[in-house]
Amino acid sequence: MVWSVHASAWEAGLAVASDYAAVRGHCPPPTTAVWGGDRFPIGV
């Protein structure tokens, strides 16, 4: 059960960003970056 939509979105984004950093060796992605099978937008 999802208690907070915002918390759930934050956790999903953090997991994707962590995976990106593990693969790329750094965290700041380009502004147009998307990552993962569902093409999660992670650009900053």
Side-chain angles (χ1 to χ4, degrees), residues 4-22 27 29 33-36 38-44:
S4 169
V5 174
H6 297 290
S8 178
W10 169 260
E11 290 174 10
L14 184 59
V16 171
S18 295
D19 183 53
Y20 179 89
C27 194
V34 292
W35 194 255
D38 59 354
R39 313 269 306 150
F40 194 94
I42 60 169
V44 292

